[in-house]
């Protein structure tokens, strides 16, 4: 089932695009989507413990399931004042 992945800041730089499309297995979790992306872009692995994620513009957990046509966003930590 197709999903759209949105990437921000350094994550976007690593992948080279602000968004990508992927087909994922039915019942896949957001974590599975992330791990698939890390397998393709190993430099993303450094962010695994600190990223935030959202599904269809709502904050979500990595273990939340994805559905057909979902938009999954991954966000690195933000710092500053």
């Amino acid at each position: 089932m197709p999903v759209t992945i949105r990437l921000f800041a350094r994550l976007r730089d690593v992948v080279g695009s602000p968004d990508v499309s992927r087909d994922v297995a039915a019942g896949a979790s957001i974590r599975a989507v992330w791990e698939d992306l890390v397998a393709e872009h190993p430099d993303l692995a450094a962010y695994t413990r600190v990223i935030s994620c959202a599904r269809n513009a709502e904050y979500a957990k990595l273990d939340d399931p994805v559905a057909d046509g979902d938009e999954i966003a991954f966000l690195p930590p933000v710092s500053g004042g």
Side-chain angles (χ1 to χ4, degrees), residues 37-62:
L37 201 58
V38 169
E40 194 172 318
H41 303 279
D43 288 347
L44 292 174
Y47 296 92
T48 298
R49 295 177 56 156
V50 296
I51 59 166
S52 297
C53 56
R55 184 176 58 131
N56 300 326
E58 297 282 336
Y59 279 106
K61 296 178 181 175
L62 284 171

Side-chain angles (χ1 to χ4, degrees), residues 8-48:
F8 295 89
R10 180 71 181 128
L11 305 179
R12 175 184 55 217
D13 296 341
V14 170
V15 172
S17 178
D19 52 50
V20 294
S21 296
R22 292 288 183 276
D23 282 319
V24 300
S29 66
I30 294 173
R31 183 183 309 277
V33 173
W34 173 254
E35 290 172 348
D36 184 55
L37 201 58
V38 169
E40 194 172 318
H41 303 279
D43 288 347
L44 292 174
Y47 296 92
T48 298

